[in-house]
Amino acid sequence: MFLSITPDQTILRVINWCVVMLVLSNARLFLENLLRYGVLADPTQVIPLFLKDPYSWPAMCLLIVSNVFILVALYTERQLSKGSFSELVGFLLHCINMAVMLTFPAAVVLLVPSVTPVGGAVVLGTYTILLLKLYSYKDVNLWCREMSTQKAKKLARSLSCEQQVCYPGNLTLKDIYYFTFAPTLCYELNFPRSPNIRMSFMFRRLFEMLFFTQLLVGLTQQWMIPVIQSSMKPLEDMDLSRMTERLLRLAVPNHLLWLLFFYWFFHSSLNFTAELLRFGDRQFYKDWWNSETVTYFWQNWNIPVHKWCIRHFYKPLLRKGFSKMVSQSAVFFLSAFFHEYLVSVPLRMFRLWAFMGMMAQLPLAWFVGRFLRGNYGNAAVWLSLIIGQPIAVLMYVHDYYVLNYGQETN
């Protein structure tokens, strides 16, 4: 008799075999790491990453100063709603406010020696998020002024919530600070709200945040840093074979850390914040792991940023007569700029590796979408994630090492 085994069962068995082999291979690598380097994980070493001088907290001061920009945006919108400012004056004030938001923290990070790279990255990341939020805040209030009273009320009722707010009743401190902390980049007069706070759900997300924070720090110290340190010599000697070997060694821990960070931020942290604020829209990501094209990945792995780009950048460009290709390229260019901004400024060096990596997504997206389909396209997306990121990491670490420690080594 022949056993009746379906193709689906065969595929599942092969997947199980691949998972077992993957676990065993990585377990061997981790055990080899422990035998070679010992236990390197030390949570106390994280503090110097944020503070050089315990009596100087420039990053925290910059975060406090960010409140000024929020208040300027609110004041400008209130004056516009009363007719005290013309639309041109309001537009100029918003532009100045956002330009200073972009340049002021960058100048402080570059010029103040006590700002660490990690502290600078946190500050610039916070200011970038706030910049995108205030841009959306400006746009939505402008749309409300351009619409008739009836249409403005219809916009206010577009989302179901307990208490509807109509323009200009939304221009309050409570409203703008709720939006500031809400896990979204797109402003609405009335956000969807959950009926109550689920305490068990919120504390589970809090536990995940604390646990994965320690895990990310430990794996970085134990696995990533030794591989990066051992990669400096091959990079300096331009030894292609050893550089490739170091790149492949770095790919596994780097990708694992990226996946853990994704879960920590997009699932645990954003859901914790949403539950605490009773924020109803919990779609922070979709099934990007099923991506068969690069475009699908970028549309689904970071939903808050994707929604902002579509609403406030891509569609306005289309309405102005630009083609879809030009508009998509402009979105990638904007993303490339902020990727470089968030890496180069904290490291105090400009190499454009992140910028070029993001812009390279355009030809990659075209190639994968045109020539690869199904599982081949999905494999190409995973390969770009697993290999592409370590290349950028090695480039920046090498340049930072040469810039800051190369002369001492010589």
Side-chain angles (χ1 to χ4, degrees):
M1 294 180 62
F2 292 98
L3 295 176
S4 58
I5 300 178
T6 64
D8 290 341
Q9 288 177 322
T10 302
I11 293 174
L12 290 175
R13 302 302 188 272
V14 172
I15 292 175
N16 287 338
W17 173 78
C18 292
V19 170
V20 171
M21 293 297 294
L22 182 65
V23 170
L24 291 176
S25 299
N26 284 283
R28 185 198 66 80
L29 290 175
F30 194 74
L31 181 60
E32 180 186 7
N33 176 278
L34 286 175
L35 293 175
R36 177 177 296 182
Y37 302 109
V39 178
L40 301 176
D42 183 4
T44 60
Q45 294 180 2
V46 178
I47 298 176
L49 296 176
F50 292 90
L51 293 176
K52 283 185 178 179
D53 182 358
Y55 299 101
S56 177
W57 293 34
M60 182 62 68
C61 294
L62 281 173
L63 293 178
I64 295 173
V65 170
S66 66
N67 289 277
V68 174
F69 300 99
I70 298 173
L71 297 177
V72 169
L74 176 61
Y75 172 79
T76 303
E77 287 300 326
R78 281 180 173 176
Q79 297 306 311
L80 286 168
S81 68
K82 297 175 184 177
S84 302
F85 288 166
S86 66
E87 290 296 337
L88 178 59
V89 171
F91 174 76
L92 291 175
L93 284 175
H94 278 303
C95 287
I96 293 171
N97 191 42
M98 286 184 281
V100 175
M101 284 184 65
L102 195 64
T103 56
F104 170 70
V108 173
V109 170
L110 289 171
L111 298 176
V112 177
S114 58
V115 180
T116 65
V118 175
V122 171
V123 166
L124 294 180
T126 303
Y127 269 80
T128 300
I129 292 172
L130 187 58
L131 174 69
L132 299 180
K133 283 175 175 279
L134 293 184
Y135 189 94
S136 179
Y137 186 75
K138 169 193 75 72
D139 269 3
V140 172
N141 285 303
L142 173 62
W143 297 339
C144 289
R145 288 192 299 275
E146 291 176 344
M147 297 166 67
S148 64
T149 304
Q150 183 178 359
K151 289 184 178 179
K153 290 181 179 179
K154 184 179 179 180
L155 176 65
R157 300 190 187 96
S158 60
L159 296 173
S160 58
C161 54
E162 296 176 356
Q163 184 178 1
Q164 301 296 332
V165 177
C166 296
Y167 182 84
N170 63 306
L171 302 178
T172 63
L173 278 173
K174 179 181 177 180
D175 179 84
I176 195 170
Y177 271 101
Y178 179 87
F179 174 53
T180 299
F181 290 100
T184 181
L185 298 176
C186 293
Y187 178 68
E188 297 284 351
L189 271 68
N190 295 279
F191 289 105
R193 304 290 293 274
S194 55
N196 50 54
I197 298 176
R198 297 171 294 174
M199 300 302 293
S200 59
F201 177 87
M202 186 177 70
F203 281 113
R204 281 200 302 273
R205 301 290 83 80
L206 178 61
F207 172 78
E208 290 174 355
M209 289 168 60
L210 298 175
F211 173 76
F212 282 110
T213 298
Q214 295 298 321
L215 185 60
L216 285 165
V217 171
L219 288 177
T220 301
Q221 294 173 326
Q222 185 68 45
W223 207 349
M224 282 279 287
I225 293 178
V227 175
I228 291 174
Q229 289 175 339
S230 65
S231 303
M232 293 301 100
K233 182 64 175 174
L235 283 171
E236 290 176 358
D237 297 340
M238 295 304 293
D239 187 338
L240 185 59
S241 59
R242 293 188 65 194
M243 286 168 57
T244 304
E245 186 268 338
R246 292 298 190 274
L247 175 65
L248 295 177
R249 283 182 60 188
L250 184 64
V252 174
N254 178 83
H255 188 62
L256 177 60
L257 288 170
W258 182 80
L259 291 174
L260 290 174
F261 175 80
F262 172 84
Y263 187 90
W264 173 83
F265 184 77
F266 287 97
H267 185 75
S268 301
S269 301
L270 293 186
N271 270 297
F272 171 80
T273 305
E275 194 66 32
L276 185 64
L277 298 176
R278 293 174 48 224
F279 186 78
D281 185 2
R282 305 296 175 91
Q283 192 178 60
F284 305 123
Y285 57 90
K286 293 182 182 178
D287 61 333
W288 57 264
W289 46 87
N290 292 323
S291 302
E292 296 180 1
T293 63
V294 175
T295 303
Y296 186 88
F297 168 80
W298 287 109
Q299 290 173 344
N300 292 277
W301 94 277
N302 188 338
I303 295 298
V305 169
H306 175 67
K307 285 182 177 179
W308 187 95
C309 289
I310 293 294
R311 186 193 199 195
H312 297 286
F313 198 67
Y314 179 74
K315 287 185 176 179
L317 289 176
L318 291 179
R319 287 194 291 267
K320 292 181 182 296
F322 292 95
S323 66
K324 287 186 177 180
M325 179 59 69
V326 171
S327 301
Q328 289 174 354
S329 301
V331 170
F332 272 100
F333 183 86
L334 181 69
S335 178
F337 167 78
F338 278 112
H339 274 76
E340 189 63 40
Y341 174 79
L342 294 174
V343 176
S344 290
V345 176
L347 293 178
R348 298 185 177 92
M349 63 180 192
F350 300 92
R351 296 295 186 270
L352 298 181
W353 299 120
F355 182 86
M356 291 188 292
M358 280 302 302
M359 294 308 295
Q361 298 296 307
L362 284 171
L364 179 63
W366 175 83
F367 177 82
V368 173
R370 185 176 180 84
F371 297 105
L372 301 177
R373 294 288 188 273
N375 289 332
Y376 295 104
N378 182 256
V381 172
W382 279 112
L383 187 63
S384 67
L385 293 174
I386 296 173
I387 300 298
Q389 292 176 0
I391 293 176
V393 170
L394 282 179
M395 293 299 98
Y396 277 110
V397 170
H398 171 262
D399 291 349
Y400 185 80
Y401 173 82
V402 171
L403 184 66
N404 292 274
Y405 305 106
Q407 187 173 359
E408 296 176 10
T409 302
N410 293 334

